[in-house]
Amino acid sequence: VDYALLVFFVTITFTIGASAFSGCTALTGITLGSKVKTIGASAFYNCKKLSSIDIPYGVDSIGTSAFENCYALQYAMIPEGVESIMPSTFSNCSDVTKISLPSTVTSIGASAFANCKQLYDISIPSAVESIGASAFTNTAIEKATIPAKVNRIYANTFNGCTKLTDLTFAEGSKITVIETRAFYNCKTLKAVEVPSMVTTIAKEAFTGCSSMKTATLPASLKEIGEATFSGCSSLTEISVPSLIIS
């Protein structure tokens, strides 16, 4: 059998078990049958040559690190019904350029897309309530809209997104905290309007955003951390609220 050309058809099982194909480094393509409902944790972990995966409608659960280190993967479409993108699901998929997320997704786990260095085409569904630490770190994302239900930007969420130019917080944003290095080294980010409920911007949150010209801070803000806007060499205008205590 020439495993480099293997296409695996699943027509009976409902579950692809944890680590089922982990380390199948010659595998290039997978087609899953319509009866598959669950893709287990690390199911295709370290399948370095896997360039395509057809995830059928009906799959409603994809486990942690399911496609981590699938360096050759170029595109993925997650079907409607999936509610959680688990931690490190696509971490280190360095060739992927586009990932389509369904409207049913409500959470994106830590490092879900970390180090997907070519990933520029991805939108965060409006139903998302939480985005984990380092979720989009070192991606090529150009635009990001943070849904209104998200209440915290965790550490390193967009760290190293050097092509991120436009950042928008949805109307009615519930964010109260922007954590350490959340937007660190987003070199092309032009401006930021911090949501009205934010009380804390942690240290180095916007360090190295060298193209940022304006930063609008809300009256609710009480704490700006160390080096928060350090290296923002284009910054010409910023207003610091009177309630700042540290």
Side-chain angles (χ1 to χ4, degrees), residues 55-123:
I55 304 175
Y57 179 80
V59 169
D60 57 17
S61 177
I62 301 174
T64 299
S65 299
F67 300 100
E68 184 176 357
N69 292 351
C70 292
Y71 305 126
L73 190 66
Q74 297 178 12
Y75 168 73
M77 183 177 71
I78 310 302
E80 291 289 328
V82 173
E83 296 183 355
S84 297
I85 305 299
M86 300 297 286
S88 299
T89 298
F90 293 97
S91 181
N92 301 323
C93 293
S94 53
D95 283 355
V96 71
T97 59
K98 180 177 181 178
I99 295 178
S100 296
L101 301 180
S103 62
T104 50
V105 168
T106 59
S107 67
I108 296 174
S111 299
F113 307 103
N115 302 316
C116 293
K117 296 180 180 180
Q118 305 299 321
L119 179 61
Y120 71 91
D121 191 348
I122 186 169
S123 296

Side-chain angles (χ1 to χ4, degrees), residues 6-8 10 15-25 27-32 36 38-50 52-56 59 61-71 73 88-91 93:
L6 177 64
V7 177
F8 192 88
V10 178
T15 300
I16 305 297
S19 302
F21 299 97
S22 177
C24 292
T25 56
L27 195 62
T28 60
I30 292 288
T31 300
L32 303 179
V36 174
T38 301
I39 298 175
S42 301
F44 299 99
Y45 177 86
N46 215 32
C47 291
K48 298 179 180 181
K49 293 184 178 181
L50 182 64
S52 64
I53 175 73
D54 183 10
I55 304 175
V59 169
S61 177
I62 301 174
T64 299
S65 299
F67 300 100
E68 184 176 357
N69 292 351
C70 292
Y71 305 126
L73 190 66
S88 299
T89 298
F90 293 97
S91 181
C93 293

Side-chain angles (χ1 to χ4, degrees), residues 106-112 128-137 146 149-161 169 174-184 186 198 200-206:
T106 59
S107 67
I108 296 174
S111 299
V128 167
E129 300 176 1
S130 65
I131 303 172
S134 301
F136 294 96
T137 190
I146 310 301
K149 293 181 181 180
V150 173
N151 60 22
R152 194 179 194 96
I153 303 294
Y154 287 95
N156 300 301
T157 298
F158 293 94
N159 186 339
C161 293
F169 296 92
K174 294 178 174 59
I175 292 172
T176 58
V177 176
I178 298 175
E179 291 191 1
T180 302
R181 295 193 170 193
F183 298 96
Y184 185 91
C186 291
V198 170
T200 301
I201 303 177
K203 67 178 183 179
E204 300 180 343
F206 294 97

